[in-house]
């Protein structure tokens, strides 16, 4: 919420106490995106922003006023598990071949059906 507040203030805007409380309820997970948008305060075009987060509206078409809110909502959406991210992780485990770091920072590749293959042990510096 702090990043959104800073971004909005850099654009020359300020949230009212009611607007900030409403946004904080979404950030806290007390309301979902749809409730946040549809019960939002009328001064903002939450419909475009919510549709862009859900990939139903081209984010390139958002106004400069809508962009900070979009970035905040997108960050919150990506930070929480959702059906798409769960489906993608399931696909990665089933197919194999995806490369990334494990919880120890080692470079690994997923194997079909689960498991990982370690590319190399990280070198330790002394």
């Amino acid at each position: 919420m702090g990043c959104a507040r800073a971004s909005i203030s850099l654009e020359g805007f300020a949230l009212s106490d009611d607007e900030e409380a409403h946004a904080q309820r979404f950030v806290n997970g007390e309301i979902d995106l749809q409730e946040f948008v549809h019960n939002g305060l009328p001064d903002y075009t939450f419909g475009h922003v919510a549709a862009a987060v859900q990939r139903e509206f081209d984010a390139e078409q958002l106004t400069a006023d809508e962009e900070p809110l979009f970035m905040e909502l997108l960050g919150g959406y990506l930070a929480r598990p959702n059906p798409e991210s769960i489906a993608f992780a399931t696909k990665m485990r089933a197919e194999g071949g995806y490369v990334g770091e494990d919880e120890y920072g080692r470079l690994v590749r997923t194997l079909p059906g689960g498991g990982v293959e370690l590319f190399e042990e990280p070198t330790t510096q002394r």
Side-chain angles (χ1 to χ4, degrees), residues 56-116:
E56 297 168 355
F57 182 81
D58 183 5
E60 295 291 323
Q61 301 300 315
L62 294 174
T63 68
D65 291 341
E66 293 168 329
E67 288 176 5
L69 179 59
F70 170 75
M71 295 307 292
E72 182 72 18
L73 293 178
L74 181 63
Y77 176 76
L78 294 174
R80 290 189 298 269
N82 58 65
E84 290 173 340
S85 66
I86 292 168
F88 182 69
T90 301
K91 178 183 174 189
M92 287 175 41
R93 285 190 294 274
E95 290 180 353
Y98 293 87
V99 176
E101 292 184 348
D102 67 5
E103 63 271 19
Y104 305 108
R106 301 176 300 185
L107 188 60
V108 297
R109 175 177 38 218
T110 60
L111 299 172
V116 294

Side-chain angles (χ1 to χ4, degrees), residues 37-51:
V37 171
H38 294 295
N39 294 326
L41 300 158
D43 294 348
Y44 293 93
T45 53
F46 288 123
H48 280 162
V49 175

Side-chain angles (χ1 to χ4, degrees), residues 1-29:
M1 186 73 178
C3 291
R5 189 180 303 113
S7 179
I8 289 169
S9 69
L10 287 172
E11 295 288 334
F13 299 98
L15 294 177
S16 71
D17 290 343
D18 288 342
E19 292 166 330
E20 188 159 339
H22 183 70
Q24 189 64 52
R25 289 183 62 220
F26 172 74
V27 171
N28 292 344

